[in-house]
Amino acid sequence: MKKIQIINGPNLNLLGKREPTVYGNASFEDYLSELRARFPQCEISYYQSNVEGEIINKIHEVGFEYDGIVLNAGAYTHTSIALHDAIKAVTTPVVEVHISNVHARESFRHVSMISAACRGVILGFGLDSYRLAIESFM
Ligand code: DQA
């Protein structure tokens, strides 16, 4: 059974309530049930934190054991060299995901501090970005 860790960063606990025109109406918990049903061959763990250091701790915790990490680092994507270093420090491959197409938004979202440390990047497909990221580990 493949072990996949999904990590959501700041403000993503508010999915379903937060800017629904950008991020949609579904809560992540509802979507997670769909994902688990779709990938019965995977053990999908989920973690969300608004705190940068806690996200780094989770990457360290699973990053030598799991088969893949799907990371939506939220706004830390655009600022965090510490997250870049954490992704490089572990052996588990990390796929960066974004719900929105960050390149079609404000210019400060066009830069990612973490992409270069990740195996790949999937963005702009709504919540389906997470499914596509998991497919990449199959
Ligand atoms: C996001 C895009 C980021 O720019 C933003 O700060 C988020 C969500 C996305 O999933 O589209 O919090 O990562």
Side-chain angles (χ1 to χ4, degrees), residues 58-101:
K58 178 55 76 173
I59 292 170
H60 293 176
E61 184 189 316
V62 301
F64 295 92
E65 188 200 335
Y66 275 52
D67 298 295
I69 297 174
V70 175
L71 173 63
N72 185 346
Y76 291 140
T77 304
H78 316 299
T79 61
S80 181
I81 296 167
L83 267 178
H84 173 109
D85 288 349
I87 295 164
K88 284 200 103 158
V90 298
T91 52
T92 299
V94 177
V95 171
E96 174 185 349
V97 306
H98 299 285
I99 297 164
S100 63
N101 178 354

Coordinates of all heavy atoms in Angstrom, one line a residue, residues 58-101:
K58 N 6.4 18.4 9.8 CA 5.7 17.3 9.2 C 6.5 16.8 8.0 O 6.5 15.5 7.8 CB 4.3 17.8 8.7 CG 3.4 16.8 8.0 CD 3.2 15.5 8.8 CE 2.3 15.7 10.0 NZ 2.0 14.3 10.6
I59 N 7.1 17.6 7.2 CA 7.9 17.1 6.1 C 9.1 16.3 6.6 O 9.3 15.2 6.1 CB 8.5 18.3 5.2 CG1 7.3 19.0 4.5 CG2 9.5 17.9 4.2 CD1 7.7 20.3 3.9
H60 N 9.7 16.7 7.7 CA 10.8 15.9 8.3 C 10.2 14.6 8.8 O 10.9 13.5 8.7 CB 11.4 16.6 9.5 CG 12.1 17.9 9.1 ND1 12.7 18.7 10.0 CD2 12.4 18.4 7.9 CE1 13.3 19.7 9.4 NE2 13.1 19.6 8.1
E61 N 9.0 14.6 9.4 CA 8.5 13.4 10.0 C 8.2 12.3 9.0 O 8.5 11.1 9.3 CB 7.2 13.8 10.8 CG 6.5 12.7 11.5 CD 5.1 13.2 12.0 OE1 5.0 14.4 12.5 OE2 4.2 12.4 11.9
V62 N 7.6 12.7 7.9 CA 7.2 11.6 6.9 C 8.2 11.5 5.8 O 8.1 10.5 5.0 CB 5.8 11.9 6.3 CG1 4.8 12.0 7.4 CG2 5.8 13.2 5.5
G63 N 9.1 12.4 5.7 CA 9.9 12.6 4.4 C 11.0 11.5 4.2 O 11.7 11.6 3.2
F64 N 11.1 10.5 5.1 CA 12.1 9.4 4.9 C 11.3 8.1 4.8 O 11.9 7.1 4.8 CB 13.2 9.4 6.0 CG 14.0 10.6 6.0 CD1 13.7 11.7 6.7 CD2 15.2 10.7 5.1 CE1 14.5 12.9 6.7 CE2 16.0 11.8 5.1 CZ 15.6 12.9 5.9
E65 N 10.0 8.2 4.9 CA 9.2 7.0 5.0 C 8.1 6.9 4.0 O 7.8 5.8 3.5 CB 8.6 7.0 6.4 CG 7.9 5.8 6.9 CD 6.9 6.1 8.0 OE1 7.1 7.1 8.8 OE2 6.0 5.3 8.1
Y66 N 7.5 8.0 3.7 CA 6.3 7.9 2.8 C 6.8 7.8 1.3 O 7.9 8.1 1.0 CB 5.4 9.2 3.0 CG 4.4 9.1 4.1 CD1 4.9 8.7 5.4 CD2 3.1 9.3 3.9 CE1 3.9 8.5 6.4 CE2 2.2 9.2 4.9 CZ 2.6 8.8 6.2 OH 1.7 8.7 7.2
D67 N 5.8 7.4 0.4 CA 6.2 7.3 -1.0 C 6.0 8.6 -1.7 O 6.6 8.8 -2.8 CB 5.2 6.3 -1.6 CG 5.5 4.9 -1.0 OD1 6.6 4.4 -1.2 OD2 4.6 4.4 -0.3
G68 N 5.2 9.6 -1.2 CA 5.0 10.8 -1.8 C 4.4 11.9 -0.9 O 3.6 11.5 0.0
I69 N 4.8 13.1 -1.1 CA 4.2 14.2 -0.4 C 3.5 15.2 -1.4 O 4.2 15.5 -2.4 CB 5.2 15.0 0.5 CG1 5.8 14.1 1.5 CG2 4.5 16.2 1.1 CD1 6.9 14.8 2.3
V70 N 2.3 15.5 -1.2 CA 1.6 16.5 -2.0 C 1.5 17.7 -1.2 O 0.8 17.7 -0.1 CB 0.2 16.0 -2.4 CG1 -0.6 17.0 -3.2 CG2 0.3 14.7 -3.2
L71 N 2.1 18.8 -1.6 CA 2.2 20.0 -0.8 C 1.6 21.2 -1.4 O 2.1 21.6 -2.5 CB 3.7 20.3 -0.5 CG 4.0 21.6 0.2 CD1 3.4 21.6 1.6 CD2 5.6 21.8 0.3
N72 N 0.6 21.7 -0.8 CA 0.1 23.1 -1.1 C 0.5 24.0 0.0 O -0.1 24.0 1.1 CB -1.4 23.1 -1.3 CG -1.9 24.5 -1.8 OD1 -1.2 25.4 -1.8 ND2 -3.2 24.5 -2.2
A73 N 1.6 24.7 -0.2 CA 2.2 25.5 0.9 C 1.5 26.9 1.0 O 1.9 27.7 1.8 CB 3.7 25.7 0.6
G74 N 0.4 27.1 0.2 CA -0.3 28.4 0.3 C 0.7 29.5 0.0 O 1.6 29.4 -0.8
A75 N 0.5 30.6 0.8 CA 1.4 31.8 0.5 C 2.8 31.6 0.9 O 3.7 32.3 0.4 CB 0.8 33.0 1.3
Y76 N 3.2 30.5 1.7 CA 4.6 30.2 2.0 C 5.3 29.8 0.8 O 6.5 29.9 0.7 CB 4.7 29.2 3.1 CG 4.3 29.6 4.5 CD1 3.6 28.7 5.3 CD2 4.6 30.8 5.0 CE1 3.1 29.1 6.6 CE2 4.1 31.2 6.2 CZ 3.4 30.3 7.0 OH 3.0 30.7 8.3
T77 N 4.6 29.3 -0.2 CA 5.2 29.0 -1.5 C 6.0 30.2 -2.0 O 7.1 29.9 -2.6 CB 4.0 28.8 -2.6 OG1 3.2 27.8 -2.1 CG2 4.6 28.5 -3.9
H78 N 5.5 31.4 -1.8 CA 6.1 32.5 -2.5 C 7.2 33.2 -1.6 O 7.9 34.1 -2.0 CB 5.0 33.6 -2.8 CG 3.8 33.0 -3.4 ND1 3.9 32.3 -4.6 CD2 2.5 32.9 -3.0 CE1 2.7 31.8 -4.9 NE2 1.8 32.2 -3.9
T79 N 7.4 32.7 -0.4 CA 8.3 33.3 0.6 C 9.3 32.4 1.2 O 10.3 32.9 1.7 CB 7.5 34.0 1.7 OG1 6.8 33.0 2.4 CG2 6.5 35.0 1.2
S80 N 9.1 31.1 1.3 CA 9.8 30.3 2.3 C 11.0 29.5 1.7 O 10.9 28.4 1.1 CB 8.8 29.3 3.0 OG 9.6 28.6 3.9
I81 N 12.2 30.1 2.0 CA 13.4 29.3 1.7 C 13.5 28.1 2.6 O 14.1 27.1 2.3 CB 14.6 30.3 1.7 CG1 14.5 31.4 0.7 CG2 15.9 29.5 1.6 CD1 15.5 32.5 0.9
A82 N 13.0 28.3 3.8 CA 13.1 27.2 4.8 C 12.3 26.0 4.3 O 12.7 24.8 4.5 CB 12.5 27.7 6.2
L83 N 11.2 26.2 3.6 CA 10.4 25.1 3.1 C 11.2 24.5 1.9 O 11.2 23.2 1.8 CB 9.0 25.6 2.5 CG 7.9 25.5 3.5 CD1 6.6 26.0 2.9 CD2 7.6 24.0 3.9
H84 N 11.8 25.3 1.1 CA 12.7 24.8 0.0 C 13.7 23.8 0.6 O 13.9 22.7 0.1 CB 13.3 25.9 -0.7 CG 14.3 25.6 -1.8 ND1 14.1 25.7 -3.1 CD2 15.6 25.0 -1.6 CE1 15.2 25.3 -3.8 NE2 16.1 24.9 -2.9
D85 N 14.4 24.3 1.6 CA 15.4 23.5 2.3 C 14.9 22.2 2.9 O 15.5 21.1 2.8 CB 16.2 24.3 3.3 CG 17.1 25.4 2.7 OD1 17.3 25.4 1.5 OD2 17.5 26.2 3.5
A86 N 13.7 22.3 3.5 CA 13.1 21.1 4.1 C 12.8 20.0 3.0 O 13.0 18.8 3.2 CB 11.8 21.4 4.8
I87 N 12.3 20.5 1.9 CA 11.9 19.6 0.8 C 13.2 18.9 0.2 O 13.2 17.7 0.0 CB 11.2 20.3 -0.4 CG1 9.8 20.8 0.2 CG2 11.0 19.4 -1.6 CD1 9.2 21.9 -0.7
K88 N 14.3 19.7 0.1 CA 15.6 19.1 -0.3 C 16.2 18.2 0.7 O 16.9 17.3 0.3 CB 16.5 20.2 -0.6 CG 16.2 21.0 -1.9 CD 17.4 21.7 -2.5 CE 18.0 20.9 -3.6 NZ 18.8 21.8 -4.5
A89 N 15.9 18.4 2.0 CA 16.5 17.6 3.0 C 16.0 16.2 3.1 O 16.7 15.3 3.6 CB 16.3 18.3 4.4
V90 N 14.8 15.9 2.6 CA 14.2 14.6 2.8 C 14.3 13.8 1.5 O 14.7 14.3 0.4 CB 12.7 14.7 3.2 CG1 12.6 15.4 4.5 CG2 11.9 15.4 2.1
T91 N 14.0 12.5 1.6 CA 14.2 11.6 0.4 C 12.8 11.4 -0.3 O 12.8 11.0 -1.5 CB 14.8 10.3 0.8 OG1 14.0 9.7 1.9 CG2 16.2 10.4 1.3
T92 N 11.7 11.6 0.4 CA 10.4 11.4 -0.3 C 10.2 12.5 -1.3 O 10.4 13.7 -1.0 CB 9.3 11.5 0.8 OG1 9.5 10.4 1.7 CG2 7.9 11.4 0.2
P93 N 9.8 12.2 -2.5 CA 9.5 13.2 -3.5 C 8.3 14.0 -3.1 O 7.3 13.5 -2.6 CB 9.3 12.4 -4.8 CG 9.1 11.0 -4.4 CD 9.6 10.8 -3.1
V94 N 8.4 15.3 -3.4 CA 7.3 16.3 -3.1 C 6.8 16.8 -4.4 O 7.6 17.3 -5.3 CB 7.8 17.4 -2.2 CG1 6.7 18.4 -1.9 CG2 8.4 16.9 -0.9
V95 N 5.5 16.8 -4.6 CA 4.8 17.5 -5.7 C 4.1 18.8 -5.2 O 3.3 18.7 -4.2 CB 3.8 16.6 -6.5 CG1 3.0 17.4 -7.5 CG2 4.6 15.5 -7.2
E96 N 4.5 19.9 -5.7 CA 3.8 21.2 -5.4 C 2.5 21.3 -6.1 O 2.4 21.1 -7.3 CB 4.8 22.3 -5.8 CG 4.2 23.7 -5.6 CD 5.1 24.8 -6.2 OE1 6.3 24.5 -6.5 OE2 4.6 26.0 -6.3
V97 N 1.4 21.7 -5.3 CA 0.1 21.9 -6.0 C -0.4 23.2 -5.6 O -0.2 23.7 -4.5 CB -0.9 20.8 -5.7 CG1 -0.4 19.4 -6.0 CG2 -1.4 20.8 -4.3
H98 N -1.2 23.8 -6.5 CA -2.0 24.9 -6.2 C -3.4 24.7 -6.8 O -3.5 24.2 -7.9 CB -1.4 26.2 -6.8 CG -0.1 26.4 -6.2 ND1 0.1 26.9 -4.9 CD2 1.2 26.2 -6.7 CE1 1.4 27.0 -4.6 NE2 2.1 26.5 -5.7
I99 N -4.4 25.2 -6.1 CA -5.8 25.1 -6.6 C -6.0 26.1 -7.8 O -6.6 25.7 -8.8 CB -6.8 25.4 -5.4 CG1 -6.6 24.3 -4.3 CG2 -8.2 25.5 -5.9 CD1 -7.2 24.7 -3.0
S100 N -5.5 27.3 -7.6 CA -5.7 28.3 -8.6 C -4.5 28.3 -9.5 O -3.4 27.8 -9.2 CB -5.8 29.7 -7.9 OG -4.7 30.0 -7.2
N101 N -4.7 29.0 -10.7 CA -3.6 29.2 -11.6 C -2.8 30.5 -11.1 O -3.2 31.6 -11.5 CB -4.1 29.4 -13.0 CG -2.9 29.7 -14.0 OD1 -1.8 29.8 -13.6 ND2 -3.2 29.7 -15.3

